[in-house]
Amino acid sequence: PVLAGVNGSAIENFSCVIYNVSLMNCTWEASRDAPGDAQYFLYWKGYGDSVECELYIKDENGRNTGCRFQNVRAGYEHTKFLVNGSSKDSLIHCEKYIQLYKIEKLMPPSNIAVKCDENKDHCLIKWQQPQRSNSEKDKCYKYQIIIKYT
């Protein structure tokens, strides 16, 4: 990340995850050396203008330490995240770039069907691909089947 401001005032452990196709949660921690009155604001720039967090997650002191976004689409280009903050003593600035498709937690496949021959020597297994935020590149997804005999 690119950091600016008073030493030790920026955030730590910034991470995001996309789930249920279009919802994204981002979380971070205030640095141990951050001023007690520091407040943080998250922006991200995807396909258009920068968007500020729609719903902040706050810690016990009322400090923003996370964010929930809706209607997110995981593209293949890098997405810029910017955490700005301030306190009476300092300005806080942190930039991080993430490829959103790498942080998407996929839903499980659905409509799984198994059809075997009489001897169960050969089986055909079919499923419907899980819905995801970016379906442009189906070849990027691999599935693993684990067969257990009981």
Side-chain angles (χ1 to χ4, degrees), residues 4 15-16 18 24 50 57 67 85 97 102 104 125 134 146-147:
S15 67
C16 296
I18 296 173
M24 180 170 64
S50 291
I57 302 165
C67 176
Y97 294 86
K102 290 184 176 181
E104 183 174 7
I125 303 172
N134 189 334
I146 300 172
I147 301 172

Side-chain angles (χ1 to χ4, degrees), residues 2-131:
V2 177
L3 306 174
V6 172
N7 234 0
S9 65
I11 61 167
E12 297 175 346
N13 301 323
F14 179 84
S15 67
C16 296
V17 64
I18 296 173
Y19 63 98
N20 288 352
V21 181
S22 65
L23 303 175
M24 180 170 64
N25 274 6
C26 296
T27 58
W28 60 87
E29 297 171 5
S31 166
R32 287 183 297 245
D33 299 329
D37 69 333
Q39 184 58 281
Y40 302 97
F41 303 95
L42 175 66
Y43 300 83
W44 77 290
K45 182 169 175 54
Y47 296 101
D49 295 331
S50 291
V51 177
E52 184 177 0
C53 175
E54 299 166 2
L55 177 63
Y56 283 106
I57 302 165
K58 297 182 180 292
D59 67 10
E60 62 278 358
N61 300 318
R63 181 183 288 172
N64 297 337
T65 56
C67 176
R68 291 187 175 101
F69 288 99
Q70 298 180 26
N71 302 317
V72 174
R73 196 174 121 230
Y76 289 91
E77 60 280 334
H78 283 88
T79 300
K80 179 179 178 179
F81 290 87
L82 172 64
V83 178
N84 279 338
S86 63
S87 78
K88 63 180 179 8
D89 299 323
S90 68
L91 295 176
I92 301 161
H93 181 84
C94 175
E95 292 179 15
K96 186 165 178 90
Y97 294 86
I98 298 174
Q99 287 180 291
L100 294 183
Y101 80 93
K102 290 184 176 181
I103 61 168
E104 183 174 7
K105 301 293 183 196
L106 296 177
M107 302 291 288
S110 58
N111 297 329
I112 299 170
V114 179
K115 185 176 182 180
C116 298
D117 63 13
E118 287 182 21
N119 298 329
K120 296 189 179 178
D121 292 331
H122 297 91
C123 295
L124 178 64
I125 303 172
K126 292 184 177 184
W127 62 86
Q128 186 175 359
Q129 289 186 347
Q131 188 179 6

Side-chain angles (χ1 to χ4, degrees), residues 131-148:
Q131 188 179 6
R132 55 193 182 274
S133 63
N134 189 334
S135 58
E136 294 173 8
K137 297 189 177 185
D138 287 337
K139 294 179 182 177
C140 292
Y141 297 91
K142 295 180 182 179
Y143 298 91
Q144 179 180 7
I145 299 173
I146 300 172
I147 301 172
K148 296 183 180 181

